[in-house]
Amino acid sequence: MRIVLVNIPHPAIGSRIPKEQLPPLGLLSVGGPLLDDGHDVHLIDGELGPMTLDTLVEEVISLGPDAVLFGHSGSSSGHPIIARTCARIATALPHAAIVYGGVHPTYFWREILAAEPHVTAIVRGEGEETTRQLMAAIAGGTPLAQIPGISYQEDGLPVATAQAKVITDLDAYRIGWELIDHADYGYWGGKRAVVIQFSRGCPHLCNYCGQRGFWTRWRHRDPVMLAAEIARLHRDHGVEVFNFADENPSAGRKPWKAFLEALVAEDVSVTLVASTRADDIVRDADILHLYKKAGFERFLMGMENTDEATLKLIRKGGSTTSDREAIRLLREHNILSMATWVAGFDDETDASMWRGLKQIISYDPDQIQALYVTPHRWTPFFRLAEDRAIVEDDLTRWDYKHQVVAISGMSPTRLFLWVKFVEACAQLRPRAFRRWVWNPDPKIRHAVRWYYRMGRRVWIHEILGFLRRPAHQRNLSVGEWLGAPQDHEEEANVPARSRRSLPNVKPAA
Ligand code: SF4
């Protein structure tokens, strides 16, 4: 079969910066096994340029595919664009199968199939094996009902098959790197870059996060094989920067240490960027020299809040003490720390924001990234927030970078001003500049310079975006707008080929 994988252009600022685009790992992960099955696979990456929707649709049509596969790492925020693109391709290519996978369709399959009858099937959960089976069934004209992990229309009703098995051997499915030209992708100041993944899932239970639900349990790739793949991409394709897609690659100390040692043994000069938990950094205090030697230049650590009561509410499981210590330890090894700080848990007041700012400065991270709590309906936090009013009904902005739910103690404008003020204070401290200028490592100086350049651009873009945003038009709660909760527990109870009633309210598209 001729199969086209489509990465849509996203309106987020991160998708609009030339030479700072990363390849779509999810689509490449599905593409590799399909190539191995003998399909004629192509990738059209609408983020490059970025393409207009017209160009993207024309390119897909010109390939004359039998099947067109969609997925986007932005998931909910990518959905409205995927829906528009799907509809146009389905009209132009009525005989092509349209397949849609990712986090958002996994938990919105009923609504999507009802609103978009041209979608042939939705892949729920991780996609490698399910997509292989689905493409084989479509090519052979065999019934879809036998394939676990999909949803489709039967007699005009959305139906779901049983959940697919969790992939236990992540190395059994290779990434289809040949689908891209590495020269098209860059990050970290225009350096050639890819996204890579050591593990899937997370053993922790933070209630605003869907990692555990979507991936089910924490699993990792073979440490030595991943190190060899990184070295090969560096030597054969000149890839310099590897951005880990994992939320928590270091959850298991033993495999993580084995990976670091294997990469050090490969002796390649690469830049590694990842997210992890502050607790893991503290746990690994005795092997942080290996982190540095392997090439780690920055860790993003989800601190989420500096308030112990809020951390308890969201079941973060960490503590302000380990957050502070992790930053100190990373600095000791000249690895940058980026702290995420999440606003909108509904306990904010002027006093708490001021307290939070003072605490962030006392933690002294190299970089901070302010985000807004986003109650996706597949997270336990949805149930805590379902009665709160929405202040953003454009799904493309449900990307953690926009406030989407109201808080009781502060208007959106006031919260926005506080967030921008916190970011400016944290990033423009003389101490942060001094560290940049006097840093002995030229790679770290480059990284900090690049981050300030990007930060300035994003900061101004976000202020202009806030000022120009359309007025909020709906008076709905989160639950009224997004429908009933649908998280992993609910999804696990989907019996084979179940017909499901549709909630009353469909998501805005
Ligand atoms: S927020 Fe991070 S630590 Fe918490 S469950 Fe999600 S991935 Fe794990």
Side-chain angles (χ1 to χ4, degrees), residues 202 204-206 208-209 211 247-248 277 304 316:
C202 179
H204 298 278
L205 289 166
C206 314
Y208 56 91
C209 174
Q211 284 293 315
E247 292 293 333
N248 198 354
R277 280 177 64 92
E304 327 313 11
K316 181 71 192 170

Side-chain angles (χ1 to χ4, degrees), residues 449-463:
R449 192 167 52 244
W450 168 76
Y451 186 74
Y452 272 113
R453 229 177 32 236
M454 286 298 116
R456 196 183 53 210
R457 205 165 170 166
V458 171
W459 203 73
I460 293 169
H461 174 89
E462 287 178 351
I463 290 174

Side-chain angles (χ1 to χ4, degrees), residues 35-184:
L35 285 165
D36 292 345
D37 281 354
H39 296 292
D40 175 21
V41 186
H42 302 259
L43 169 77
I44 297 185
D45 191 348
E47 294 274 37
L48 298 176
M51 285 182 194
T52 62
L53 224 52
D54 285 343
T55 310
L56 178 67
V57 170
E58 273 165 31
E59 291 216 9
V60 174
I61 293 169
S62 71
L63 288 168
D66 302 300
V68 186
L69 276 52
F70 290 90
H72 193 270
S73 55
S75 218
S76 282
S77 63
H79 174 70
I81 306 149
I82 288 186
R84 281 203 295 278
T85 316
C86 274
R88 289 183 56 179
I89 289 173
T91 306
L93 300 170
H95 301 297
I98 306 280
V99 175
Y100 184 12
V103 178
H104 183 85
T106 293
Y107 299 104
F108 277 90
W109 57 269
R110 302 177 187 84
E111 290 88 343
I112 293 169
L113 289 172
E116 299 161 45
H118 46 265
V119 173
T120 312
I122 282 173
V123 173
R124 304 183 343 262
E126 56 194 344
E128 289 90 341
E129 180 56 31
T130 305
T131 311
R132 282 185 64 216
Q133 293 183 23
L134 179 60
M135 290 300 110
I138 290 172
T142 53
L144 302 186
Q146 310 303 323
I147 304 165
I150 63 163
S151 299
Y152 60 99
Q153 299 258 9
E154 194 176 85
D155 304 330
L157 279 175
V159 297
T161 62
Q163 277 198 307
K165 279 195 194 124
V166 170
I167 297 174
T168 48
D169 179 7
L170 295 178
D171 293 288
Y173 302 90
R174 72 178 181 89
I175 300 165
W177 294 119
E178 64 266 56
L179 293 168
I180 58 167
D181 179 348
H182 285 281
D184 288 339

Side-chain angles (χ1 to χ4, degrees), residues 393-457:
D393 63 2
D394 176 354
L395 206 56
T396 61
R397 292 169 182 246
W398 278 54
D399 59 357
Y400 302 94
K401 292 298 287 174
H402 298 90
Q403 185 189 354
V404 297
V405 284
I407 59 170
S408 42
M410 208 177 278
S411 70
T413 303
R414 198 173 186 89
L415 183 64
F416 180 81
L417 290 174
W418 261 116
V419 167
K420 290 292 134 203
F421 180 63
V422 169
E423 285 174 340
C425 291
Q427 290 303 157
L428 299 177
R429 289 170 297 149
R431 191 197 283 185
F433 278 112
R434 271 201 307 277
R435 276 201 205 105
W436 165 25
V437 175
W438 297 114
N439 199 298
D441 184 342
K443 284 173 88 178
I444 297 290
R445 283 203 302 275
H446 166 88
V448 179
R449 192 167 52 244
W450 168 76
Y451 186 74
Y452 272 113
R453 229 177 32 236
M454 286 298 116
R456 196 183 53 210
R457 205 165 170 166

Side-chain angles (χ1 to χ4, degrees), residues 120-394:
T120 312
I122 282 173
V123 173
R124 304 183 343 262
E126 56 194 344
E128 289 90 341
E129 180 56 31
T130 305
T131 311
R132 282 185 64 216
Q133 293 183 23
L134 179 60
M135 290 300 110
I138 290 172
T142 53
L144 302 186
Q146 310 303 323
I147 304 165
I150 63 163
S151 299
Y152 60 99
Q153 299 258 9
E154 194 176 85
D155 304 330
L157 279 175
V159 297
T161 62
Q163 277 198 307
K165 279 195 194 124
V166 170
I167 297 174
T168 48
D169 179 7
L170 295 178
D171 293 288
Y173 302 90
R174 72 178 181 89
I175 300 165
W177 294 119
E178 64 266 56
L179 293 168
I180 58 167
D181 179 348
H182 285 281
D184 288 339
Y185 295 94
Y187 184 56
W188 215 245
K191 294 184 175 188
R192 196 170 285 192
V194 296
V195 183
I196 201 103
Q197 196 177 38
F198 177 57
S199 66
R200 289 181 178 175
C202 179
H204 298 278
L205 289 166
C206 314
N207 65 14
Y208 56 91
C209 174
Q211 284 293 315
R212 185 175 170 125
F214 186 77
W215 299 113
T216 307
R217 62 190 171 82
W218 191 79
R219 296 150 280 151
H220 61 85
R221 286 189 58 184
D222 180 278
V224 176
M225 283 175 76
L226 178 64
E229 187 164 347
I230 288 175
R232 185 179 60 75
L233 287 166
H234 177 70
R235 292 189 184 112
D236 296 353
H237 300 282
V239 179
E240 292 178 89
V241 180
F242 294 82
N243 189 5
F244 282 67
D246 315 40
E247 292 293 333
N248 198 354
S250 53
R253 176 175 155 107
K254 199 171 159 196
W256 185 237
K257 183 166 178 264
F259 163 69
L260 297 170
E261 287 167 343
L263 192 54
V264 170
E266 290 284 354
D267 194 23
V268 283
S269 174
V270 291
T271 292
L272 309 178
V273 189
S275 305
T276 194
R277 280 177 64 92
D279 295 348
D280 290 2
I281 297 292
V282 175
R283 176 201 70 196
D284 287 350
D286 61 325
I287 57 166
L288 285 178
H289 61 284
L290 284 176
Y291 282 58
K292 181 72 180 175
K293 227 170 160 187
F296 275 105
E297 289 185 22
R298 186 184 74 189
F299 274 98
L300 180 151
M301 290 178 292
M303 297 183 178
E304 327 313 11
N305 211 280
T306 48
D307 190 282
E308 291 282 4
T310 306
L311 291 175
K312 209 167 165 188
L313 170 82
I314 61 179
R315 302 183 68 192
K316 181 71 192 170
S319 74
T320 51
T321 317
S322 53
D323 290 346
R324 202 184 294 261
E325 177 63 359
I327 290 168
R328 192 192 67 76
L329 285 167
L330 286 175
R331 181 158 298 130
E332 209 171 271
H333 291 82
N334 207 4
I335 300 171
L336 298 170
S337 57
M338 173 189 263
T340 60
W341 176 73
V342 182
F345 284 115
D346 202 23
D347 52 358
E348 282 91 349
T349 58
D350 288 337
S352 73
M353 295 298 283
W354 180 248
R355 209 167 45 240
L357 170 61
K358 285 201 297 189
Q359 273 177 318
I360 287 169
I361 289 178
S362 79
Y363 282 17
D364 199 16
D366 295 296
Q367 299 166 353
I368 79 151
Q369 189 175 82
L371 303 171
Y372 295 90
V373 70
T374 304
H376 285 300
R377 98 178 192 196
W378 53 82
T379 63
F381 186 73
F382 179 90
R383 292 171 202 268
L384 296 178
E386 62 184 320
D387 294 330
R388 288 169 62 182
I390 58 164
V391 295
E392 181 53 78
D393 63 2
D394 176 354

